Amino acid sequence: MTTPDPYPTPSGPAARSLDQRLDAIARHPFRAKFHLSGRDRVTAELRGPATLRWHARDLVARRLAPAAPYKDGKQTPYRGHPVFVAQHATATCCRGCLQKWHGIPKGRELSRAELAYVVDVICRWIEREVAGG
């Protein structure tokens, strides 16, 4: 018996909505600079989407979800893991960016739905990067 994935990848209208949001964010010059390359790209390709989804959920839950994250605004490295690169590319790197770009207010813990949304955004960006060659 297989256990259903508790963090499934969105499909259909949800994926199209994420793609539209990612396209809008990518038009910002700073965000457009980020792409998976080198070791981060290889990690994404080797680990696969399910493992990266678990990594994204864990990293976001520890580093971004608290009401007052430790070193907020500086807690996300620019490289070292595909999720970190994706967080900068998708403006999910700190609570300030979450508020500005995604409308998720600072000063309170992320809800389960917000956590799932952030993970979906990150994973969709990685998926698009890997598929883009």
Side-chain angles (χ1 to χ4, degrees):
M1 182 168 137
T2 60
T3 305
D5 185 357
Y7 307 104
T9 303
S11 60
R16 282 191 295 279
S17 176
L18 283 180
D19 286 339
Q20 290 169 346
R21 181 165 301 253
L22 290 173
D23 291 342
I25 292 169
R27 286 192 284 275
H28 187 269
F30 176 74
R31 305 289 167 197
K33 293 188 298 186
F34 293 97
H35 295 285
L36 284 182
S37 61
R39 193 174 277 176
D40 293 330
R41 180 178 199 81
V42 170
T43 299
E45 291 169 346
L46 290 176
R47 297 284 168 101
T51 300
L52 287 177
R53 181 165 288 276
W54 281 104
H55 288 188
R57 188 189 181 293
D58 179 56
L59 290 168
V60 170
R62 285 188 294 120
R63 294 171 173 254
L64 197 63
Y70 176 69
K71 294 173 70 175
D72 192 26
K74 294 178 176 64
Q75 77 268 42
T76 305
Y78 283 92
R79 59 190 152 287
H81 196 288
V83 170
F84 295 150
V85 179
Q87 283 185 271
H88 289 291
T90 61
T92 58
C93 46
C94 67
R95 293 305 294 266
C97 289
L98 273 181
Q99 183 169 312
K100 177 181 177 182
W101 291 90
H102 300 276
I104 298 173
K106 295 164 77 170
R108 64 165 177 74
E109 190 171 332
L110 293 181
S111 70
R112 291 178 95 166
E114 290 166 339
L115 177 66
Y117 165 77
V118 171
V119 170
D120 286 346
V121 169
I122 291 166
C123 290
R124 183 67 182 143
W125 184 87
I126 293 171
E127 197 178 283
R128 289 169 37 144
E129 281 287 303
V130 170

